Amino acid sequence: MGRQIIKYGLMFTGLVLTQVLVLNHIQFSGFVNPYIYILFVLLLPLSSPRYVVLVMAFLIGITVDIFSNSLGVHAFATVFAAYLRPFVIRLISSREEDMSDYPGLMQTKISWFLKYITIMVVIHHTVLFYLEVFTFSNFLGTLFRMFLSSVFSIFVIILSQLIVFRD
Amino acid sequence: MRSLLRYLIKNYAFLLFLLLEVVSLLFVFNFNKYQRVQYLNSSNQITASVYNSFHSVIKYFALAKVNQSLAEENAKLKSPALPSSQTANTTDSVSSNFIQSNSNYRYISAHVINNSVNKVLNYITLNKGRKDGVKPDMGIVSPEGIVGVVVAVSENYAMGFSVLNKRWGASAKLKKSGYFGPVEWSGGDYQMAKLKEIPFHVEIAVGDTIVTSSYSAVFPEGILIGTVHSFEQPKGESFYQINIKLATDFKSIHYVEVIDNLDKAQLYKLNNLIENGSADN
């Protein structure tokens, strides 16, 4: 338990710092911005109680918000994604599968992991981008930005799985 | 009652979810109010010191560029024909002369420790705060032109809107003709903004200079904003669509100055008097 707390504490700090110091400054073709801090919520143990997941999502969201002066936007999107997490997991897992409690790339099947992060990242980014601009005018423009950012985020998440979060 | 309680316990996750979402939405909708609460933005001590220590590492990579821009500014200041003072004097409006002779501005030099150009709402964090005399509503300028306005301050740091923020627009005018309107950024390209409310009868040309007007207490008159990049006359409207190229390169601002208008309190008081006398602050 203590080890888990330290591990997730480090993950929280690492992801927030990477997000606000590095990724928030990436300017790839003008407006593509990866948001990978959502990985923290995705990697919480599958057996963790739902209130833990929701509260943790809120905490990391509000922390990123405070750093990027967008109070409430990231928190809302992250809590939304965190609430849907169990449903997404149930949707993509078959009953017989023997699941590891830690849903990392190395611990699960690659196809499962890809499905999992893709759905979750798209949910999170959709809510985030539309709440950020707060309008449905230029719907397609925002959708396009959302799509590009999602692809970028998924790419960075997979990369991070191969390099950092291996155990 | 008991079944209600059982229902609530069973669905606690949904209720917690609703609660957290409502809290987040309250934050979003009351943005301007909470933003002035210093703990919840990037000017707070913890957040800003993270930015500050990270910046103290990466600032060395920009030193060459910073040196060059400082040297250029030095040269500009030393050269005898000072363009900015000339422009201020050639405008014939009474108010500008008034401001020239009676206002005084104090400049506080600051270092940009965090800045973004790729969001819909971009902010800038500075390493000077209340202790150095920085207060909300002070203008921020760089050697090249205007940068933004201070929104929130903590003891040692300040956070502000940059021009690249839809929630804020600077009061600008065409230097040549003196017609004024707001400069607003509409997202997208960080080098472009729009000048609005310039009527069709005004003659403009590509390359015309746009400077701050004398109508705001935030900036002194005549600080460079940008140049006209392109313009058109949309059918059925009475104002030009003017795209301006911003003078400040927001991707490479390092040193800025915060402008303290020492007469601001007086100006506000007068404005309130004129408006209706029952102004709420």
Side-chain angles (χ1 to χ4, degrees), chain A residues 91-136:
Chain A
L91 186 76
I92 59 173
S93 323
S94 57
R95 217 166 279 263
E96 307 86 55
E97 257 175 314
D98 207 17
M99 293 279 295
S100 144
D101 197 31
Y102 174 78
L105 178 61
M106 304 297 169
Q107 288 73 21
T108 55
K109 276 206 224 122
I110 288 181
S111 63
W112 186 89
F113 185 76
L114 279 181
K115 262 190 251 168
Y116 177 51
I117 59 164
T118 310
I119 296 175
M120 293 299 287
V121 164
V122 168
I123 291 173
H124 171 257
H125 282 38
T126 312
V127 176
L128 180 69
F129 277 72
Y130 282 104
L131 190 61
E132 194 180 26
V133 294
F134 212 75
T135 165
F136 283 114

Side-chain angles (χ1 to χ4, degrees), chain A residues 51-156:
Chain A
Y51 71 90
V52 172
V53 180
L54 287 172
V55 169
M56 285 299 145
F58 184 74
L59 281 184
I60 197 161
I62 208 83
T63 312
V64 172
D65 272 331
I66 290 173
F67 271 100
S68 37
N69 298 307
S70 58
L71 204 54
V73 178
H74 288 284
F76 186 91
T78 319
V79 170
F80 190 82
Y83 182 72
L84 292 182
R85 190 180 94 132
F87 302 109
V88 172
I89 292 173
R90 215 174 303 155
L91 186 76
I92 59 173
S93 323
S94 57
R95 217 166 279 263
E96 307 86 55
E97 257 175 314
D98 207 17
M99 293 279 295
S100 144
D101 197 31
Y102 174 78
L105 178 61
M106 304 297 169
Q107 288 73 21
T108 55
K109 276 206 224 122
I110 288 181
S111 63
W112 186 89
F113 185 76
L114 279 181
K115 262 190 251 168
Y116 177 51
I117 59 164
T118 310
I119 296 175
M120 293 299 287
V121 164
V122 168
I123 291 173
H124 171 257
H125 282 38
T126 312
V127 176
L128 180 69
F129 277 72
Y130 282 104
L131 190 61
E132 194 180 26
V133 294
F134 212 75
T135 165
F136 283 114
S137 72
N138 198 9
F139 182 85
L140 288 178
T142 312
L143 194 69
F144 181 64
R145 281 176 50 208
M146 189 278 285
F147 174 75
L148 284 183
S149 286
S150 298
V151 172
F152 205 170
S153 304
I154 292 167
F155 176 72
V156 177

Side-chain angles (χ1 to χ4, degrees), chain B residues 62-89:
Chain B
L63 271 188
K65 215 168 186 178
V66 169
N67 268 338
Q68 197 192 343
S69 82
L70 289 178
E72 271 165 19
E73 201 192 2
N74 262 341
K76 210 166 77 188
L77 290 173
K78 275 183 187 160
S79 61
L82 201 65
S84 66
S85 71
Q86 267 178 5
T87 59
N89 289 331

Side-chain angles (χ1 to χ4, degrees), chain B residues 24 51 63 98 107 109 128 155 164 203 253:
Chain B
S24 312
Y51 279 137
L63 271 188
F98 180 76
Y107 289 79
S109 133
K128 290 284 166 72
E155 204 54 33
L164 311 180
E203 274 184 34
I253 41 177

